[in-house]
Each structure stands twice: as C-alpha cells, then as structure tokens.
Amino acid sequence: MRYNQISNTLFITNRSNFCSKMIVNTIAILTSNDVKHNNADDVMGFSQNNDLFYLSGIDQEESILVLYPGAYKKENREILFIKETNAHIKIWDGEKLTKAQASEISGVKRVEWIQDFEMTLQYMAFEADGFYLGHNEYLKRATKDQQTRQDRMISWCKEKYPLHQYLRAAKITRELRQIKSDEEIGLLKKAANISIESFKRVLKVCKPNIKEYELEAELTYNLIKAGAKRHAFQPIVASGKNACALHYNTNDDICNDGDMILMDFGVCYANYNSDTTRCFPVNGKFSARQKEVYSSVLRCLKEGSKLLKPGVISSDYEQQMANLVETELIKLGLLKADEVSKQDPEKPLYKKYFMHGTAHHIGLDVHDVGLYSRPFESGMILTCEPGIYIPEEGIGCRLENDYLITEKGNINLTEAMPIEIEDIEASMNN
Ligand code: GLY
Ligand code: MN
Ligand code: MN
C-alpha cells in the first residue's frame, strides 16, 4: 500500500450509516470494478468502485460486499467476498489479500471466497424482501457501450430473483459521501498538499520551448514520489491557445515564449482526489494582457469562493459566479455593458468566454457524487474554478482551489499553492 492504512473505523462507521438508511429486511450488494482490458493481454489498470471502497476500504478486484442488517443469523449481517489466490496468481501478479488482511482493512468479521457468493446469498435471499444494488448512474458517450460488473450483477440478480424489490444503493451513498468525515478530510488534505508541492516544482523548471509533457512529467515525478497513487485525472498542461480547449490533455505542444500555461491537475492519494488549476507565464513574467485576464479570474475566485458556506444552494452560487465573471468580461472589453443589459437571459453573453460550471464536490471521485439540490453543509469539500477563455488572443485562464465548508465559512485546502501574480513570478525567477 502506498498510503498509511486507513483506520477501519472509517469503513465500519460508513457501513453503519449506510445500513441505518436501508429499508427493513433488504440486502445490499456492492461489487468491485473490472480490471479493464485494452488490447491482447494488456490491461489499463484497476480503479476500485468507489461505493465499495467507501463501505469496505478494499482496493482489490473481484470483491463483493453484502450487507443484510436485518439478517436473523448474526454472521449474515456483513459478509465480504474476495478473490481466492493460488500459485499461478501469486507467480504472475504477486500477493492478494488473505481473509485476515481483508478483515483487518475493512473491519468486516466474516470474509469468504468469491466463488461462495451465490450459494451464501441464496439462503439469505429466501428471507429478504429486496436488494439494494450498486450502479454508476452516469451515462456519458464514452461509457455507453461498456458493460460493468455492476451491470452484470444487476442482470444476474434480477434474473435469479425476479420477484424481490430492487432499490438503489447509490441513493444512499450519494447522500453519505457528500459529507466528509475527519478521516476523509485528512486524506483530501494530504492529496492537496502533494499537489501544492508538485506545482511549486513545476514553476521551477518551466522555461521557453519546454514541451507541455515535460511539465506533466515533472508533476508526475513529484506526486508519485510523494506517495500518490496516480493523477486524479489526465492532467491538462495547455499552453497559449490550447488552454481554450477545456479538456485539452494531449500535452504535446511546445510552450512558446510569451504564452501563458494553464495546468489543471489532481492528485489521487489513498483513492481521495484533489483538483486544482493554476496559470503561469512560460517565461516567468506575465504580459500586461495576461495580467489583466488573470487578475479578473482571481477576483472572481476570491469573491465567488466566499459563497461556499453552509446554506447556500449550488444554483445560486453558480449564478452569482456568472455575474462576477460577466462584470470582469465588461472590464476586459470583451463584452459591452449595453449589450449585456439587453441580452436574452436564456443565452447570456458571458457563455462565449466562460462556458463551464464553477463548483463540484471532490472526494473518492474527482467530480464527486452528491446531490446538487442539497444546500452546502459543513463537511462538504468543493472546488471553485472560474475561468475566462479568449481563443482570439491565445489566452485561457482558469484558477481552481479546493474548499472545505465549515460552520464558520470555508477553509481553502490549497491556500499554499502560489496564486498571486507576484508569488508565481517570484517562484519562477528565484
Ligand atoms: N479537471 C476537471 C475539473 O476541473 O473539473
Ligand atoms: Mn474541477
Ligand atoms: Mn480541475
């Protein structure tokens, strides 16, 4: 494990909270993700199902968690099924979890081999009225054709037990995962701190004609060295006009003297993810226009992030941020005040230069699960990420911090990542 083992009290508490929200006499079944294959025998690596991880801490493929809080036999209330290893797996892949290790990590007392899942469930299903099953509930172009292990579990379960009631585990996990415990906050702070240190190193090596991927490499080296598992997502290292493509991540261009770089990156530490964006000049000195645009975005970040506090509703916050950006766009000469005053509210003019949302939860997912209709509460951690993109000037600027909402307002977990123009320039030139 690259990270210090997480105390199993986190997962025991998470399961207890989950079970308290299940309706009577139901069984929850949570499955791990698949190891994804690409070509021949090559695999893309493994990324655990985050609901399963949240409830068990198990970071291994072919795992199933079964919760049946109303089971009349005590030993059936919590069962973890894991892959049974053998000599072949040991030679090729190395050690897998023993039952004792899985029990220690998760705090689940009863651990069985996965081949015993169907038979074990059979006797429990006779007694139960329904099942909670996990599902990603997210359909994007890229995922439409992918059948997941969850999909297969849903099909199998419904075919085998057609007359049971079916319920959404995600309804519960989405609600619970939105509020971070102290332990989770500690892990997210660690991810944020690794991001901060990695970014400082990038500022030191940046110079004209460096390739975007060389900066990505510097980032990767530092975050892996610091114990991160991986980037939270494919980092965006976008110089000049590349920064105006919101999800640019080929990172294969040359950073030209006079251009500004937008770097949006996250650190995955112990499966918890930070998400930050900074912009800096290739040559260590912002041009006058870059300074203007950057200062506008920074004012929006400083002002807008104040709204990340208990009681505020996400849609109000987004609207207020849009108003702030609109004002800055007028100051920058990109929009005309009189045209803005006459604009169609359904098609606001600011969208030409600022076309994305400003806050999302972070946690086990970078765009963490949660209901955006729920007002902000203490314990939520959200990004704030205003931006202004001007392709015709070759400038794209976004600034993004991570904020923990508390009773008293918020705490910027990425406060120590240089953001003031003078601090960025000083770091690059000293
Ligand atoms: N990196 C994706 C985002 O900032 O939301
Ligand atoms: Mn973000
Ligand atoms: Mn980001």
Side-chain angles (χ1 to χ4, degrees):
M1 235 185 253
R2 292 186 186 207
Y3 51 91
N4 295 334
Q5 191 170 320
I6 302 170
S7 163
N8 62 23
T9 54
L10 173 64
F11 309 115
I12 292 169
T13 306
N14 291 348
R15 285 196 297 279
S16 161
N17 291 338
F18 184 94
C19 289
S20 71
K21 292 187 179 295
M22 291 170 73
I23 61 172
V24 290
N25 202 27
T26 49
I27 299 172
I29 306 175
L30 286 303
T31 70
S32 57
N33 282 341
D34 284 321
V35 176
K36 286 277 177 198
H37 281 78
N38 40 10
N39 289 294
D41 63 350
D42 197 13
V43 292
M44 286 187 269
F46 175 67
S47 183
Q48 186 55 290
N49 178 276
N50 285 332
D51 281 345
L52 177 75
F53 187 83
Y54 182 75
L55 295 171
S56 71
I58 296 296
D59 208 355
Q60 184 169 283
E61 71 284 3
E62 294 179 49
S63 309
I64 299 177
L65 176 69
V66 173
L67 302 173
Y68 186 11
Y72 83 98
K73 281 190 182 173
K74 204 159 177 257
E75 69 264 28
N76 286 346
R77 293 192 184 151
E78 282 191 346
I79 314 173
L80 181 64
F81 294 88
I82 59 167
K83 169 179 178 153
E84 182 174 17
T85 195
N86 57 37
H88 179 84
I89 294 174
K90 199 168 171 170
I91 288 171
W92 288 91
D93 297 342
E95 298 290 347
K96 294 288 168 187
L97 293 176
T98 63
K99 286 184 178 179
Q101 286 169 331
S103 181
E104 170 56 28
I105 290 168
S106 62
V108 176
K109 294 207 172 59
R110 183 173 173 197
V111 181
E112 303 287 354
W113 299 129
I114 197 163
Q115 61 267 30
D116 297 324
F117 164 73
E118 290 190 22
M119 186 55 88
T120 309
L121 185 70
Q122 175 72 79
Y123 291 101
M124 296 159 70
F126 288 149
E127 306 277 345
D129 297 321
F131 292 106
Y132 281 86
L133 298 180
H135 193 258
N136 193 22
E137 303 191 347
Y138 190 74
L139 191 64
K140 203 164 110 158
R141 271 194 314 279
T143 57
K144 213 159 69 187
D145 299 329
Q146 294 172 15
Q147 196 193 48
T148 65
R149 210 172 170 83
Q150 289 180 323
D151 294 327
R152 295 199 299 280
M153 176 62 80
I154 292 167
S155 305
W156 173 82
C157 208
K158 286 191 161 174
E159 192 175 328
K160 182 142 173 64
Y161 302 109
L163 298 180
H164 281 66
Q165 183 183 3
Y166 283 90
L167 296 139
R168 301 163 53 217
K171 178 88 194 311
I172 303 180
T173 53
R174 278 173 187 272
E175 186 185 334
L176 295 177
R177 283 175 51 189
Q178 225 168 1
I179 308 292
K180 272 65 185 178
S181 62
D182 289 346
E183 185 111 32
E184 290 179 293
I185 292 167
L187 296 168
L188 280 157
K189 276 186 181 164
K190 174 80 180 170
N193 288 341
I194 296 175
S195 309
I196 292 163
E197 293 313 312
S198 303
F199 176 65
K200 287 182 182 166
R201 302 292 294 242
V202 168
L203 286 183
K204 295 279 175 221
V205 300
C206 185
K207 57 179 194 260
N209 296 325
I210 197 167
K211 305 272 190 0
E212 292 166 344
Y213 59 75
E214 291 182 76
L215 298 177
E216 175 183 337
E218 189 66 23
L219 203 55
T220 310
Y221 173 78
N222 284 291
L223 65 91
I224 296 294
K225 195 153 184 282
K229 190 171 188 177
R230 55 176 176 252
H231 288 278
F233 51 89
Q234 186 65 34
I236 297 168
V237 186
S239 60
K241 65 175 174 13
N242 297 336
C244 298
L246 298 179
H247 286 167
Y248 173 89
N249 61 17
T250 45
N251 304 348
D252 56 1
D253 217 342
I254 294 169
C255 302
N256 292 313
D257 198 351
D259 276 350
M260 186 167 77
I261 298 171
L262 180 156
M263 198 162 84
D264 183 346
F265 67 105
V267 163
C268 178
Y269 177 81
N271 291 7
Y272 284 83
N273 300 283
S274 62
D275 183 9
T276 48
T277 309
R278 288 293 183 268
C279 296
F280 49 97
V282 171
N283 61 16
K285 198 99 189 81
F286 288 93
S287 71
R289 183 58 171 168
Q290 286 163 357
K291 263 188 192 171
E292 279 180 344
V293 176
Y294 188 101
S295 302
S296 282
V297 177
L298 186 54
R299 276 193 292 273
C300 293
L301 178 70
K302 286 181 179 171
E303 214 35 51
S305 60
K306 291 183 192 158
L307 293 167
L308 292 173
K309 59 183 181 191
V312 175
I313 294 172
S314 173
S315 53
D316 290 348
Y317 160 78
E318 293 284 344
Q319 185 54 52
Q320 304 231 36
M321 182 61 93
N323 296 345
L324 289 168
V325 175
E326 191 176 73
T327 305
E328 294 296 335
L329 290 172
I330 294 169
K331 280 195 219 160
L332 290 168
L334 294 164
L335 296 182
K336 293 199 172 66
D338 59 329
E339 287 176 5
V340 168
S341 67
K342 288 182 283 184
Q343 71 190 352
D344 175 355
E346 297 297 312
K347 292 187 195 143
L349 298 173
Y350 74 80
K351 289 215 175 217
K352 180 173 174 202
Y353 299 102
F354 172 48
M355 51 300 264
H356 56 76
T358 321
H360 57 83
H361 294 266
I362 54 170
L364 286 169
D365 284 295
V366 181
H367 291 169
D368 209 21
V369 295
L371 299 174
Y372 284 82
S373 54
R374 181 174 176 182
F376 297 148
E377 272 174 56
S378 178
M380 291 181 174
I381 303 187
L382 292 116
T383 63
C384 181
E385 48 183 305
I388 292 176
Y389 310 90
I390 324 167
E392 58 274 25
E393 296 185 33
I395 296 178
C397 181
R398 175 166 67 254
L399 297 171
E400 177 177 25
N401 284 331
D402 301 338
Y403 297 89
L404 165 66
I405 298 186
T406 71
E407 283 310 325
K408 297 194 200 93
N410 67 51
I411 297 169
N412 178 5
L413 302 183
T414 42
E415 175 96 57
M417 186 180 284
I419 197 163
E420 296 295 336
I421 285 178
E422 313 76 59
D423 293 340
I424 300 254
E425 290 187 344
S427 295
M428 296 184 79
N429 293 298
N430 292 314

